Amino acid sequence: MGGAHGHSLHFHGHSVVHRLPAHLKLVALVVYVIAVVATPAGQWWAFGLHAVVLVGVMAATRIPAGYIGRRMLIEVPFVVFALIMPFVAQGPRVQVGPFSLSEAGLLAAATLLLKGTLGVGASVVFAATTEAADIVTGLRRVGLPRQLVEIIAFMVRYLDVVTGQLIRMKVARASRGFSARSVRQWPVLGSTAGALFIRSYERGERVHLAMLSRGYSGAMPDLAPVSTSTGPWVAALVAPAVSVVIAVTALVLR
Amino acid sequence: MTPVLELKGVAHAYPDGHQALFGVDLHVHRGERVALLGPNGAGKTTLVLHLNGILTAGAGTVTVSGLPVAPENLLEIRRRVGIVFQDPDDQLFMPTVRQDVAFGPANMGVRGAELDAVVDSALARVGMSAFADRPPHHLSFGQKRRVAVATVLAMEPEILVLDEPSSNLDPASRRELADILRSLDVTLLMVTHDLPYALELCERSVLLSDGVVVGDGPTVSILGDDDLMRAHRLELPAGFDPHRV
């Protein structure tokens, strides 16, 4: 759980990046990631420039580098995968110290690491500067189907409620001397999951009753404020536009 | 004068055959604050769900300010009857407090500046204006309950129905909620087994037991009638004397 503001990834602040509307940041994130992914392997200078763009945006958020660094640990499994690639890939090999490594594997690993790190970094910046409620609104604004947005909104709202319920059930179980040490205890875990499902299902019914009681008739009203000025669009798209230019140049020079 | 709420011979059986209500008659007039008392399983919640047409009576009628609860009137009925459910986590489902309070009026077609004004006024009436942009799951239980009251007030209901308003509240939150409820200029029906709370807030009580109304009168005389109370599994806290409050 995070503090009083937003979800656990969110870092409270008032920078220009924090203030941008969520749907613009979402568009900017997607454009930036596409530009990075479209940049051809081997054009190291282009990846360097993409990184400069990202670091520039990170600096503008005024979020401490250590915070962003810790959040980027989610990338570790991909890093492990990238490190394995030079050993297992086919093709011509080069000798690096005691290891014989695949040239193609090295290139692929380096590209994967670069693209992955840039993508994760941009996503962490987005998550750290956008409240959960605004992300949901942003998804609605960029035209994600209504039903999907509503499912995500309810998930965001009830994640903590259901997690709280699960924790209370675990405490109650442990208080009666239960600990899951062997396969023989699996049925107990199964019935916990079943009970949690039933409870959540019943809560869903009660929430639906509460919605009906306030006049719900099948469509959620769109209640978030809308900004119509073009200023935020320009601010949000500066960074991804630079990256698109970098990617296009890299493609032409290839 | 047309009563705000009029129930005539309301009976209800659930699809599994269990009958919860056996002909309930009840009138609530404008400006009254009425407590609906009864032991667990008396049919209180079933009765509440009839008031805004979530459940429909197998027999009998429910009328709200002269408008019968029927499928063609449901939207207007749900505006007139505001129900605050027992668990605020069921009631607050939108990403922020402001959006949640706006949900009801928006369903009624209110938009723009008018909607903002309605939301601000509802939050001010429960003293939660400062929390408008917070997500509901970061509020304390007492704050959630107050916001739940605001979500219903925003629909400007003719009668406010509260299901166990004092449950799970600490004494301070319980008193704060009582102060807020007293300050509202609205007809109130409060379902509870918190008898001192009923006495504090409601001049009149209706006792429901086994699906029928078995008592209706001034709260102090209902609570003071030991035989009636004992017959229907209701008990005052030890040492509590309703005549000395």
Side-chain angles (χ1 to χ4, degrees), chain B residues 19-92:
Chain B
Q19 183 147 6
L21 300 175
F22 296 85
V24 172
D25 294 296
L26 178 65
H27 295 249
V28 178
H29 288 277
R30 190 165 307 282
E32 271 191 305
R33 286 203 294 254
V34 180
L36 182 63
L37 311 176
N40 286 338
K44 301 188 298 289
T45 303
T46 308
L47 186 66
V48 165
L49 293 177
H50 276 79
L51 303 182
N52 71 350
I54 297 281
L55 294 178
T56 35
T61 55
V62 181
T63 350
V64 181
S65 299
L67 188 70
V69 175
E72 64 272 19
N73 302 332
L74 276 189
L75 198 60
E76 176 59 17
I77 290 289
R78 285 170 189 173
R79 189 197 64 74
R80 292 186 184 187
V81 180
I83 301 186
V84 179
F85 289 95
Q86 191 171 352
D87 185 347
D89 275 325
D90 295 342
Q91 183 118 20
L92 307 177

Side-chain angles (χ1 to χ4, degrees), chain A residues 1 6 17 23 25 43 49 56-57 59 76 85 91 106 129 136 142 176-177 188 190-191 207-208 211 223 226:
Chain A
M1 275 296 305
V17 187
H23 62 292
K25 279 189 270 188
Q43 303 283 49
L49 291 178
V57 175
V76 166
M85 277 212 292
L106 273 176
T129 58
V136 172
V142 297
R176 288 188 283 156
V188 177
S191 53
V207 171
H208 186 234
M211 292 169 72
L223 297 168
V226 195

Side-chain angles (χ1 to χ4, degrees), chain A residues 1-7 131-134 136-137 140 153-154 156-158 160-161 202-203 206-217 219-225, chain B residues 49 52 54 75 78-79 81-83 85 87-96 98-108 111 115 134-138 144 151-152 155:
Chain A
M1 275 296 305
H5 290 274
H7 49 96
E131 302 258 13
D134 296 334
V136 172
T137 313
R140 191 198 309 271
F154 281 111
V156 168
R157 169 65 184 87
Y158 285 102
D160 286 343
V161 175
E202 286 173 347
R203 182 179 296 280
R206 292 198 306 273
V207 171
H208 186 234
L209 277 188
M211 292 169 72
L212 289 178
S213 297
R214 279 152 72 201
Y216 177 73
S217 51
M220 299 291 270
D222 185 1
L223 297 168
Chain B
L49 293 177
N52 71 350
I54 297 281
L75 198 60
R78 285 170 189 173
R79 189 197 64 74
V81 180
I83 301 186
F85 289 95
D87 185 347
D89 275 325
D90 295 342
Q91 183 118 20
L92 307 177
F93 44 81
M94 296 291 277
T96 66
R98 177 185 298 284
Q99 291 180 30
D100 218 304
V101 177
F103 178 83
N107 282 328
M108 304 298 155
R111 286 290 185 282
L115 184 60
R134 295 281 190 89
H137 51 276
H138 288 148
K144 283 186 200 173
T151 66
V152 169
M155 298 171 74

Side-chain angles (χ1 to χ4, degrees), chain B:
Chain B
M1 204 175 91
T2 322
V4 177
L5 197 63
E6 185 172 29
L7 278 73
K8 280 188 189 154
V10 171
H12 183 83
Y14 281 99
D16 65 0
H18 168 70
Q19 183 147 6
L21 300 175
F22 296 85
V24 172
D25 294 296
L26 178 65
H27 295 249
V28 178
H29 288 277
R30 190 165 307 282
E32 271 191 305
R33 286 203 294 254
V34 180
L36 182 63
L37 311 176
N40 286 338
K44 301 188 298 289
T45 303
T46 308
L47 186 66
V48 165
L49 293 177
H50 276 79
L51 303 182
N52 71 350
I54 297 281
L55 294 178
T56 35
T61 55
V62 181
T63 350
V64 181
S65 299
L67 188 70
V69 175
E72 64 272 19
N73 302 332
L74 276 189
L75 198 60
E76 176 59 17
I77 290 289
R78 285 170 189 173
R79 189 197 64 74
R80 292 186 184 187
V81 180
I83 301 186
V84 179
F85 289 95
Q86 191 171 352
D87 185 347
D89 275 325
D90 295 342
Q91 183 118 20
L92 307 177
F93 44 81
M94 296 291 277
T96 66
V97 166
R98 177 185 298 284
Q99 291 180 30
D100 218 304
V101 177
F103 178 83
N107 282 328
M108 304 298 155
V110 182
R111 286 290 185 282
E114 194 191 345
L115 184 60
D116 290 343
V118 166
V119 170
D120 290 340
S121 130
L123 284 173
R125 287 165 85 185
V126 299
M128 289 295 291
S129 302
F131 298 85
D133 295 310
R134 295 281 190 89
H137 51 276
H138 288 148
L139 304 179
S140 76
F141 197 87
Q143 292 171 332
K144 283 186 200 173
R145 175 129 321 136
R146 277 150 68 183
V147 173
V149 172
T151 66
V152 169
L153 285 180
M155 298 171 74
E156 286 158 25
E158 300 193 4
I159 180 166
L160 187 61
V161 181
L162 300 145
D163 193 358
E164 295 289 358
S166 62
S167 66
N168 292 326
L169 293 182
D170 59 29
S173 315
R174 183 175 172 276
R175 180 190 44 74
E176 283 162 8
L177 185 67
D179 292 342
I180 288 165
L181 293 177
R182 240 192 309 267
S183 75
L184 300 174
D185 179 24
V186 61
T187 313
L188 200 77
L189 181 68
M190 188 171 108
V191 177
T192 189
H193 2 233
D194 184 344
L195 303 178
Y197 212 55
L199 183 63
E200 195 185 335
L201 285 167
C202 304
E203 58 276 15
R204 179 182 153 206
S205 284
V206 174
L207 180 50
L208 190 73
S209 184
D210 287 330
V212 286
V213 173
V214 293
D216 186 345
T219 305
V220 75
S221 32
I222 296 269
L223 298 192
D225 186 340
D226 289 340
D227 296 333
L228 181 70
M229 296 278 282
R230 207 170 300 117
H232 301 288
R233 291 184 59 80
L234 286 177
E235 286 179 19
L236 289 163
F240 184 88
D241 180 355
H243 296 288
R244 298 179 60 183
V245 175

